[in-house]
Amino acid sequence: MNKYKQIYREIKKSNKIIIARHVGPDPDALGSSLGLKELILNTFPNKEVYVVGNPTNKFKFLGLLDKFSPEMYDGLLIVTDTPDLKRIDGAIPSRFRKSIKIDHHPFIERTCDIEWIDDTASSASQMVAELAFNTKLVLNEEAAKKLYTGIVADTNRFMFRYSSPKTFEIASELIQQTGLDITEIYDNLYMRP
């Protein structure tokens, strides 16, 4: 079974899903985790979905985070944009009944039951968008906004060399499917006080 189907199947059968990312979050960590939450709730509105970790004021335009509680350990954990255990913010994978990692960094250590690592991807946000395009996860403008922001930030506006043709195809598809206003994204991302 391919990774897309495997991850989608776990999401579909879980009533409670907790999404974590790395400490000191950047727009990709937040965009991939908050974008995934949006995709899941668009598809399965009755599920409990939480994005945990310490908040950051700088990128609060991407969305609000949830406070972690021990009752969440009976759910499915999905960790995005985090290559190793010590950098996961707000959750311990081994305490969950099942865990999934979606990450674009080179492999450091195994941290989850299911691991999708693609170090050729520009960002975890690109991978989450790819997951949506290859499963029945429902994309809307809000999810696309979070994912596009993560892609743009981790590629430095598509200037880094790992901005591949696939990166541009996924960014283009996010815009085409949702009518995304990219000007608003750039305004939020590069605004200074």
Side-chain angles (χ1 to χ4, degrees):
M1 179 180 301
N2 70 34
K3 291 289 184 195
Y4 308 126
K5 287 181 182 173
Q6 193 177 18
I7 293 167
Y8 181 79
R9 187 182 68 192
E10 291 299 328
I11 290 169
K12 186 176 181 180
K13 72 181 189 183
S14 300
N15 291 323
K16 186 186 294 181
I17 300 165
I18 292 75
I19 305 170
R21 38 71 187 163
H22 63 71
V23 294
D26 59 8
D28 183 35
L30 293 166
S32 61
S33 56
L34 290 163
L36 181 57
K37 176 182 180 177
E38 189 74 23
L39 291 168
I40 294 169
L41 289 175
N42 290 340
T43 313
F44 306 104
N46 296 323
K47 291 188 184 295
E48 291 179 58
V49 185
Y50 306 96
V51 177
V52 299
N54 289 315
T56 174
N57 284 332
K58 186 174 181 181
F59 304 118
K60 66 182 175 191
F61 65 88
L62 283 166
L64 300 174
L65 301 174
D66 302 295
K67 187 167 177 59
F68 185 81
S69 69
E71 297 81 42
M72 293 180 182
Y73 279 123
D74 65 350
L76 167 68
L77 174 68
I78 304 175
V79 178
T80 66
D81 199 33
T82 312
D84 55 350
L85 193 59
K86 70 178 185 277
R87 294 199 62 217
I88 298 172
D89 189 2
I92 303 166
S94 62
R95 296 192 58 192
F96 286 84
R97 64 165 186 78
K98 191 84 165 188
S99 59
I100 297 170
K101 175 167 69 173
I102 300 172
D103 186 44
H104 71 113
H105 297 97
F107 178 82
I108 293 177
E109 64 182 348
R110 185 167 183 84
T111 57
C112 294
D113 301 314
I114 298 169
E115 298 206 338
W116 176 27
I117 299 167
D118 181 359
D119 62 8
T120 67
S122 70
S123 57
S125 294
Q126 175 181 318
M127 295 174 71
V128 171
E130 190 178 331
L131 177 68
F133 297 147
N134 287 282
T135 64
K136 294 179 181 177
L137 288 172
V138 177
L139 181 70
N140 67 357
E141 187 175 1
E142 193 57 38
K145 185 186 302 183
K146 293 172 189 336
L147 297 172
Y148 188 91
T149 301
I151 293 168
V152 165
D154 252 29
T155 62
N156 194 20
R157 295 167 302 171
F158 305 102
M159 292 193 298
F160 291 151
R161 86 171 80 101
Y162 48 78
S163 300
S164 67
K166 187 177 191 177
T167 306
F168 285 100
E169 287 168 17
I170 288 172
S172 174
E173 195 65 28
L174 289 170
I175 296 166
Q176 287 177 24
Q177 284 194 25
T178 65
L180 188 61
D181 178 3
I182 62 172
T183 305
E184 177 192 346
I185 290 171
Y186 287 106
D187 288 346
N188 281 325
L189 197 52
Y190 298 106
M191 184 177 290
R192 296 287 180 263

